[in-house]
Amino acid sequence: MHLVIRGARVVDGTGTPSYTADVAIRDGRITEIHREGASDPRPTGARVLDAQGLALSPGFIDMHAHSDLALLRDPDHSAKAAQGVTLEVIGQDGLSYAPVDDRTLAEVRQAITGWNGGAPGDTSVDFDWRTVGEYLDRLDHAHGGRGIAVNAAYLIPQGTVRMYAMGWEDREATPAELDRMRELVAQGLREGAVGMSSGLTYTPGMYAKDAELTELCRVVAEYDGYYCPHHRSYGAGALEAYQEMVELSRSANCALHLAHATMNFGVNKGRAPELLALLDDALDAGADITLDTYPYTPGCTTLVAMLPSWASEGGPEAVLARLKDDGTAERIRHHLEVLGSDGCHGVPIEWDTIEISGVSDPGLASCVGKTIQQSADMRGEEPWVTARRLLIADRLGSTILQHVGHEENVRAIMRHRVHTGGSDGILQGFKPHPRAYGTFPQYLGRYVRELGVLSLEECVAHLTSRAAARLRLPDRGYVREGYRADLVLFDPGTVAAGSTFEAPRTLPVGIPHVLVDGRFVIEDGRRTDVLAGRTVRRTAS
């Protein structure tokens, strides 16, 4: 064998009790699992790694990642590799970079600068693709043809598709436009996308009515993909928004995966059991539903996402024009502070919960790490004045942490039978959310070892096999003979997230080895130069 991992505590992804075994690897596959006490000879190999005291699990699958450009920009990508992530699902929240034409690409680059960088004029990535297939090929041949740090699967972004077919208008699609969107979704699925995402509090995707979304989901279902919505509200009306997605997926006969399935804002404190009852009823009736969460309370998005949807119609330049007009800006303020904008999930904004985590313009760095309220107090002005000034000066590129979550909801949801892990990690900005660097060790360290919310075996199943099943992957998600050797070795007694809100880019501890396709991307706690990641593509059924 090329490699034998000797004497590991195998946590195999099934959720059943762990066991001690030697695991042999050859040509990127697990070829033998020799349990302790078995009578047949132990495997030998060109290299034997003593794993005594370490747990061996399948590689973690990040079901909600924002590494769409980071994988191309940064061959190291330790933010995910060091956590034990061996596969990321990108193209999230209805906004990404394929399929596009030249106009759409320029607009989407501006719209999600706060998530990924890549604004017009940024030359760190060569945007030389237009179709989903070309984007996936670009990932496979990144960094001089060597590939990417970890594997990646892609969701077709419904907001980008709508932008491509009909621009930024808040109206129903014409029959011809709907046909064009169906064609774009089908083409992307044929080229390897695993499903479709939506961002229904982000423009222009949020302008789509359920009938339009249902038609697109029917296309997704034809290719055995799944629908992954960031639904219309995580605040006021959250339960109704979840129910809407359940009913929509049922109408389309499409599998459903609920993105970052949280219950946030004061109106939802302690209401996670209501969400879980809703899901249980649907599951018991035969629905195909999964969800993901991150193990933190604050959320993270862009500052411009808080605005009411009408203020974003027409795209980024139209937003900036409205913000510069005093009368229109006052209407925006009234919706934010009094009515509760749809961008802020129907809840009047609380400026002392909105912390600036990143800016596109380095000259605005003094705002980072402060809430809008704190910056306004320092300037002796109303918080909307501060927020408006920042939106204009940073050309909508500012990211935020929104401190509106509830720990009891986080714990309740992560226990659910269809739960998986997703970092929702935005890697952009001076002070990103620590979930980008810490989600998976945070689960293992805080919620398994320290709090006992999940057993180690349960937690690993959530982070591996459940996600692989949603992605319909036949050879990932378990430590089994014949399966791909995407594996993590970690110390259950010390594994922990190093990232904090104060030092968010600190790497985790207690994860000495990570393998992608049987090759060490993390070895003895250090990033190697291996680029074994490739795209994981859905084959049309």
Side-chain angles (χ1 to χ4, degrees):
M1 303 301 167
H2 291 163
L3 172 66
V4 174
I5 300 172
R6 182 80 79 202
R9 175 186 174 185
V10 177
V11 187
D12 64 6
T14 62
T16 58
S18 57
Y19 57 89
T20 302
D22 301 340
V23 176
I25 297 166
R26 184 179 181 87
D27 297 329
R29 300 260 177 190
I30 298 168
T31 55
E32 184 178 350
I33 299 174
H34 184 279
R35 294 200 181 214
E36 184 178 49
S39 58
D40 53 320
R42 300 175 79 174
T44 59
R47 176 178 178 184
V48 176
L49 175 65
D50 182 2
Q52 185 174 2
L54 297 178
L56 175 68
S57 82
F60 305 134
I61 298 177
D62 188 342
M63 287 296 289
H64 192 102
H66 288 283
S67 302
D68 306 48
L69 299 185
L71 285 163
L72 295 171
R73 186 185 294 118
D74 177 20
D76 182 81
H77 202 49
S78 287
K80 295 301 179 66
Q83 293 185 59
V85 171
T86 59
L87 170 60
E88 298 184 273
V89 185
I90 55 179
Q92 298 286 351
D93 294 328
L95 290 167
S96 190
Y97 305 95
V100 292
D101 56 11
D102 292 349
R103 171 191 60 80
T104 307
L105 178 61
E107 291 174 347
V108 77
R109 286 178 66 179
Q110 181 65 51
I112 53 175
T113 296
W115 290 357
N116 299 316
D122 181 344
T123 59
S124 62
V125 172
D126 182 5
F127 290 85
D128 57 354
W129 66 84
R130 293 298 180 268
T131 68
V132 169
E134 289 169 351
Y135 173 64
L136 298 179
D137 288 344
R138 181 77 165 79
L139 290 168
D140 282 338
H141 298 93
H143 308 298
R146 297 171 61 214
I148 49 181
V150 302
N151 298 310
Y154 188 69
L155 294 167
I156 300 166
Q158 170 259 328
T160 301
V161 166
R162 197 174 210 269
M163 192 189 311
Y164 190 168
M166 54 183 294
W168 292 77
E169 296 181 47
D170 182 3
R171 60 174 175 82
E172 292 187 13
T174 67
E177 290 166 341
L178 184 55
D179 284 344
R180 180 60 174 143
M181 286 188 274
R182 286 194 195 97
E183 292 169 3
L184 290 168
V185 171
Q187 179 183 346
L189 290 160
R190 288 194 298 269
E191 292 172 350
V194 297
M196 182 180 76
S197 74
S198 283
L200 300 180
T201 65
Y202 301 125
T203 54
M206 70 190 304
Y207 298 142
K209 301 293 191 292
D210 285 359
E212 178 181 314
L213 296 171
T214 300
E215 288 301 310
L216 300 183
C217 283
R218 288 191 173 120
V219 178
V220 174
E222 289 175 12
Y223 290 86
D224 200 26
Y226 69 93
Y227 180 43
C228 180
H230 164 129
H231 53 270
R232 297 192 193 275
S233 176
Y234 291 82
L239 287 173
E240 292 81 0
Y242 281 112
Q243 183 67 53
E244 176 191 8
M245 294 298 101
V246 170
E247 292 176 356
L248 187 155
S249 67
R250 182 185 294 119
S251 296
N253 196 27
C254 184
L256 176 66
H257 181 84
L258 296 165
H260 38 60
T262 56
M263 292 287 286
N264 287 339
F265 302 89
V267 295
N268 289 318
K269 185 174 183 179
R271 298 188 70 191
E274 297 176 59
L275 167 62
L276 301 181
L278 184 160
L279 298 180
D280 283 335
D281 288 345
L283 289 162
D284 292 344
D288 183 358
I289 301 174
T290 50
L291 58 87
D292 66 68
T293 70
Y294 47 84
Y296 299 87
T297 51
C300 180
T301 187
T302 57
L303 182 57
V304 67
M306 298 292 101
L307 303 187
S309 57
W310 61 262
S312 294
E313 186 177 5
E317 293 304 320
V319 179
L320 288 166
R322 292 185 183 102
L323 288 167
K324 291 173 183 177
D325 179 79
D326 289 343
T328 309
E330 173 56 23
R331 284 184 62 211
I332 294 172
R333 182 204 66 77
H334 183 73
H335 273 257
L336 279 168
E337 295 184 350
V338 180
L339 301 180
S341 77
D342 46 7
C344 195
H345 307 273
V347 177
I349 199 163
E350 298 174 319
W351 294 111
D352 59 351
T353 69
I354 306 296
E355 178 185 355
I356 300 300
S357 59
V359 289
S360 295
D361 182 351
L364 300 169
S366 62
C367 299
V368 174
K370 301 182 183 71
T371 67
I372 294 291
Q373 187 68 60
Q374 287 171 331
S375 291
D377 290 345
M378 291 174 65
R379 299 178 68 96
E381 61 190 17
E382 292 299 312
W384 167 241
V385 176
T386 301
R388 178 189 177 193
R389 179 185 298 111
L390 180 58
L391 284 162
I392 294 170
D394 207 28
R395 292 190 57 79
L396 314 180
S398 305
T399 52
I400 62 170
L401 301 179
Q402 193 169 16
H403 296 272
V404 292
H406 306 286
E407 180 68 19
E408 65 271 36
N409 287 348
V410 170
R411 296 189 194 187
I413 295 169
M414 74 169 62
R415 293 189 186 101
H416 196 265
R417 53 178 159 150
V418 298
H419 170 264
T420 68
S423 70
D424 197 9
I426 294 175
L427 303 170
Q428 190 72 9
F430 295 119
K431 191 175 180 285
H433 196 303
R435 68 192 184 193
Y437 285 72
T439 285
F440 294 87
Q442 179 83 340
Y443 271 118
L444 297 168
R446 177 164 172 75
Y447 288 93
V448 171
R449 185 181 63 247
E450 295 177 8
L451 299 176
V453 174
L454 296 168
S455 72
L456 180 61
E457 289 84 357
E458 288 174 318
C459 186
V460 167
H462 289 214
L463 306 181
T464 59
S465 62
R466 288 189 186 177
R470 165 49 70 222
L471 295 167
R472 308 281 203 268
L473 303 179
D475 56 0
R476 286 181 168 89
Y478 295 102
V479 180
R480 283 181 180 166
E481 292 178 0
Y483 272 54
R484 292 184 179 271
D486 292 349
L487 300 167
V488 184
L489 279 156
F490 62 92
D491 182 346
T494 64
V495 62
S499 58
T500 64
F501 286 100
E502 292 72 32
R505 286 196 170 87
T506 307
L507 297 179
V509 297
I511 306 179
H513 304 291
V514 181
L515 295 91
V516 173
D517 199 35
R519 301 167 66 193
F520 286 95
V521 296
I522 300 292
E523 187 172 13
D524 296 323
R526 299 173 184 269
R527 178 72 171 94
T528 70
D529 63 358
V530 167
L531 293 172
R534 297 294 184 270
T535 58
V536 175
R537 307 194 193 198
R538 170 67 50 77
T539 301
S541 57

